[in-house]
Structures are given as structure tokens and as C-alpha cells.
């Protein structure tokens, strides 16, 4: 049995990617809660492993050569864990490229655009029509891309992989992004298929009781939405 992996985490779509992966792997892990609404992401000990002041991050006490390694950026963490445990990240080059295409599509597209949709639709102090339309439409376009990809296939790549784990958490709050899954039948079936996995349910439940409503928390808004270079 390997030594527990330290997960630095808060229950959000980016955090869920890694709690889901660790649950899927069934490996031991401990959770270090990084309360991003309270500013824990700026603590020096967290910045030492995650210099972008964003969670998730991990510390694996048994990294390469048996020495500890820390990893930040959810995509890099998923790839690291996939390689380390040789699961959900195929070694066949064509299959691996397919996983990476959809993983990077999520990390560089779906996540940031859906995050901006949440921001303009839920958190912006005044209603900015342009921002709401821009990001709601962009998320709608991305849902369409995903829906077409999932026509006649069960998962984003050839089999269930880290690409599906990266994306599922961002579809959970689809209503907050102004989307209806009824408009995207293949995406809807995929969502139900992936969400029904016991490990996904466990991953989504990690720290659920700590989730707060940022749209009603002025202190969290000032921590999260007023950041400049330090
Ligand atoms: N590109 C990063 C994004 C992570 C991210 O945006 N995390 C958010 C929560 S979902 C966060 O930690 N926010 C803290 C902050 O904004 O200061 C990744 O994929 O790991």
C-alpha cells in the first residue's frame, strides 16, 4: 500500500477532478482543505507548492525515486496520477493523444469559460449584459462541441479516462451556466453515465458540507475577485 497522497483541496469543479481521480484509483489520501473564500490559498506553505494561488495541488510523499513531489494545475495532477498508477491514462499513443486533446480542451476551454459564466451570471456586483452573453454563449458552444464528440461514444476518449474526470464537475452546475442538458442529449447521457459511478459520487461529496454560497459572502468575494500581482 502506498503512502497517502496529500490533496490540497476545496469542493469546487477544479477540486473535484482530483478527489474523483483519487477515489477512482482507490489509493489512500488525506485532504488538506484550502478555504479559498477565506484566503488560505495565499498562505506561504500553500504557495510553496502551488505558486498560482489556486487549488487543487497534491504532495506525493513517494514521488519519483521515492522522494516527495508536489504538483499543481489539475491537468498536470491528473496526468501525474494516471502515469504513476497506470490507470485512466492509456499508454497507446493514439489513445493517449485523444485523452490529452479532451483534457486540454477542458482545462483551457470549458473550465475557464464556465468559470467566467459563473462570475458574470452569479457574482458580478452589477449586471453586465455583454459579459453574461459572451460567456453563456461560449459555454453553449462548448457544450455543443462535447455533445457532437459524444455522439455514438460513451466517453470523451476511447474509454473512461482523466478527460471525463476533468469535465464532469464543470457540467454539474450547468444551470448556473445558463444551460439545459435537454439541448444536448449525448452530453446528458454521458453526464448520467459518469455521475452514476460510485467513485465519482464519493469524489463529488468530499467536503460537501464546507461549500458556501459565494454570491452571498462579501468577504469571500473581496478575497477572490480583487486579486492583482503581489
Ligand atoms: N488552472 C487551474 C485552475 C484552478 C482554479 O481556478 N481553482 C480555483 C477554484 S475552482 C481557485 O483555487 N481559486 C482561488 C482564487 O481564485 O484565489 C487548475 O486547473 O488547477
Amino acid at each position: 500500500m502506498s503512502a497517502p497522497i496529500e490533496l490540497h483541496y476545496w469542493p469546487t469543479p477544479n477540486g473535484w477532478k482530483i478527489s474523483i481521480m483519487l477515489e477512482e484509483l482507490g489509493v489512500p489520501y488525506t485532504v488538506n482543505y484550502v478555504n479559498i473564500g477565506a484566503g488560505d490559498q495565499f498562505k506561504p506553505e500553500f504557495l510553496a507548492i502551488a505558486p498560482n494561488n489556486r487549488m487543487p495541488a497534491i504532495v506525493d510523499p513517494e514521488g519519483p525515486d521515492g522522494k516527495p513531489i508536489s504538483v499543481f494545475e489539475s491537468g498536470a495532477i491528473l496526468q501525474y496520477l494516471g502515469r504513476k498508477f497506470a490507470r485512466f491514462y492509456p499508454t497507446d499513443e493514439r489513445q493517449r493523444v485523444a485523452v490529452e486533446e479532451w483534457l486540454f480542451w477542458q482545462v483551457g476551454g470549458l473550465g475557464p469559460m464556465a468559470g467566467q459564466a459563473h462570475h458574470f451570471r452569479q457574482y458580478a456586483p452589477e449586471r453586465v449584459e455583454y459579459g453574461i452573453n459572451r460567456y453563456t454563449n461560449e459555454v453553449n458552444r462548448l457544450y455543443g462541441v462535447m455533445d457532437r464528440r459524444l455522439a455514438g461514444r460513451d466517453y470523451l476518449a476511447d474509454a473512461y479516462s482523466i478527460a471525463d474526470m476533468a469535465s464532469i464537475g464543470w457540467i454539474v452546475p450547468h444551470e448556473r451556466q445558463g444551460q439545459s442538458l435537454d439541448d444536448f442529449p449525448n452530453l446528458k447521457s454521458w453526464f448520467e453515465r459518469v455521475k452514476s459511478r460510485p467513485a465519482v459520487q464519493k469524489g463529488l461529496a468530499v467536503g460537501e458540507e464546507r461549500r458556501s454560497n459565494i454570491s452571498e459572502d462579501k468577504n469571500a468575494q473581496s478575497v477572490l475577485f480583487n486579486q492583482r500581482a503581489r
Side-chain angles (χ1 to χ4, degrees):
M1 184 63 85
S2 51
I5 287 171
E6 255 175 53
L7 170 61
H8 296 258
Y9 168 93
W10 195 246
T12 75
N14 283 317
W16 290 330
K17 298 174 189 176
I18 313 304
S19 53
I20 289 172
M21 175 63 163
L22 289 166
E23 290 294 339
E24 290 283 8
L25 291 169
V27 297
Y29 69 98
T30 56
V31 182
N32 187 342
Y33 286 97
V34 182
N35 184 344
I36 57 173
D40 289 354
Q41 68 273 40
F42 296 107
K43 290 185 174 164
E45 59 272 28
F46 181 69
L47 290 173
I49 59 169
N52 191 37
N53 69 263
R54 299 280 189 276
M55 68 85 225
I58 61 164
V59 178
D60 178 2
E62 291 174 350
D65 307 323
K67 300 197 183 95
I69 187 172
S70 61
V71 190
F72 73 99
E73 277 296 322
S74 60
I77 300 168
L78 289 171
Q79 289 178 304
Y80 172 76
L81 293 173
R83 284 193 303 270
K84 171 166 172 141
F85 295 101
R87 292 189 64 200
F88 308 112
Y89 191 25
T91 49
D92 170 84
E93 185 61 9
R94 284 182 193 280
Q95 292 180 12
R96 178 163 282 203
V97 166
V99 169
E100 288 172 346
E101 285 175 325
W102 289 96
L103 177 65
F104 282 79
W105 174 86
Q106 188 291 313
V107 171
L110 179 65
M113 294 302 125
Q116 293 300 325
H118 289 177
H119 184 83
F120 281 100
R121 296 176 65 88
Q122 263 93 47
Y123 308 135
E126 71 265 18
R127 193 174 164 84
V128 183
E129 273 327 308
Y130 182 84
I132 292 173
N133 293 338
R134 160 81 184 135
Y135 292 109
T136 304
N137 288 344
E138 183 58 5
V139 172
N140 189 265
R141 184 189 73 78
L142 290 162
Y143 274 38
V145 170
M146 207 173 168
D147 191 61
R148 281 194 296 284
R149 170 64 178 177
L150 289 164
R153 59 168 64 241
D154 285 349
Y155 301 108
L156 286 167
D158 299 279
Y160 179 62
S161 74
I162 54 176
D164 301 291
M165 296 182 213
S167 295
I168 180 80
W170 282 99
I171 306 299
V172 169
H174 55 270
E175 285 169 1
R176 293 172 59 205
Q177 299 156 18
Q179 311 301 325
S180 165
L181 292 189
D182 290 336
D183 298 338
F184 305 100
N186 305 313
L187 171 56
K188 187 175 183 179
S189 308
W190 169 89
F191 181 61
E192 297 304 333
R193 185 175 308 117
V194 175
K195 214 175 51 161
S196 69
R197 295 177 67 91
V200 171
Q201 288 168 19
K202 281 192 199 152
L204 291 173
V206 174
E208 199 179 8
E209 68 289 348
R210 296 176 192 240
R211 271 176 80 77
S212 67
N213 187 351
I214 292 171
S215 48
E216 286 169 9
D217 184 343
K218 291 267 174 268
N219 190 46
Q221 288 172 18
S222 100
V223 171
L224 289 166
F225 306 141
N226 284 310
Q227 298 179 11
R228 287 171 58 87
R230 304 180 151 223

